[in-house]
Amino acid sequence: MLKILKDTSFEGTNIPLGALLVDYPENEKWDMQGFTRLKEYELVSIMSRAGSFNRKEVFGENPYYRYFKKYKKSYMVMLQAESFLLKGRPFPDVNLINQIAFLTELKTYTLIGSHDVDKIEGTLTIFRGTEKVAFTGMGGRDAHIYPGDISGKDDQDIIFSMIGGVDNRTYISPETRRAAYFVFGVDNMNIKVVTEALDMLEKYVLTLAPDAITERIIL
């Protein structure tokens, strides 16, 4: 479905990365009620953490938190979790393909990127850059990668970075039928963190669309 490579900038590192490629059927074949029931069940479970939630205890030693802190950034999944758990903000009312990624992030606190496979040109190469390189982020915002930041580029341009987020060309839209969910790891992270997030993503995908075709890639 999509050719993905890890370039030589990862030599000497122990950074696990995973991808779940999904070929969704037409909407008429989706079990939206089944997915909604599962989502609501999962959100109740997630919300049960609110009473005892403490940022330092939950994220103080979180490897993603430390990675983002190195770049003087706040870990976006932590902010999303706090908005949901502590500020009472509703679960994002976006298209269901993206909801699967958001739900997995809230459940596991892993970092996940979502892209439309049909908008990716040629081979996707995952790399760690040596300098700041600009790209157009989702919504047309200015974005760039950072030295050492885990990033991805296709034959046309950069499509993501862990720090900079998703680009404006390959993001998930209501018309997306072939999706790629990327689970990012950081140095020396146990690969089990990545595989368990992939398990959860696939569970949510197949609840929403039992006829979806999935392919799992570990890099």
Side-chain angles (χ1 to χ4, degrees), residues 115-134:
H115 297 264
D116 187 321
V117 170
D118 290 321
K119 296 176 183 175
I120 297 174
E121 300 289 339
T123 300
L124 172 61
T125 302
I126 302 177
F127 68 101
R128 299 166 73 230
T130 58
E131 59 186 357
K132 288 186 177 182
V133 179

Side-chain angles (χ1 to χ4, degrees), residues 10-11 49 80 85 108 160 166 179 205:
F10 284 90
E11 289 181 358
R49 307 170 184 169
Q80 290 168 2
L85 294 173
T108 64
F160 68 73
V166 178
V205 166

Side-chain angles (χ1 to χ4, degrees), residues 37-106:
R37 285 194 298 269
L38 176 59
K39 179 180 71 174
E40 290 176 350
Y41 173 84
E42 295 287 58
L43 291 177
V44 169
S45 173
I46 292 165
M47 197 64 196
S48 69
R49 307 170 184 169
S52 59
F53 182 89
N54 178 285
R55 173 185 282 192
K56 186 175 181 181
E57 290 178 1
V58 176
F59 286 101
E61 298 302 317
N62 182 287
Y64 295 106
Y65 175 85
R66 296 200 302 269
Y67 181 89
F68 275 72
K69 188 176 181 181
K70 181 173 65 174
Y71 292 97
K72 299 180 180 179
K73 302 289 184 181
S74 296
Y75 180 38
M76 59 191 73
V77 175
M78 177 186 72
L79 299 180
Q80 290 168 2
E82 291 179 342
S83 292
F84 182 72
L85 294 173
L86 305 181
K87 299 178 182 178
R89 293 183 180 168
F91 185 77
D93 184 21
V94 293
N95 80 60
L96 295 175
I97 293 176
N98 268 333
Q99 286 189 33
I100 284 170
F102 283 135
L103 188 59
T104 305
E105 286 182 328
L106 281 177

Side-chain angles (χ1 to χ4, degrees), residues 141-155:
R141 63 184 176 81
D142 293 332
H144 61 82
I145 66 171
Y146 291 75
D149 185 22
I150 298 170
S151 307
K153 60 184 177 182
D154 65 4
D155 292 350

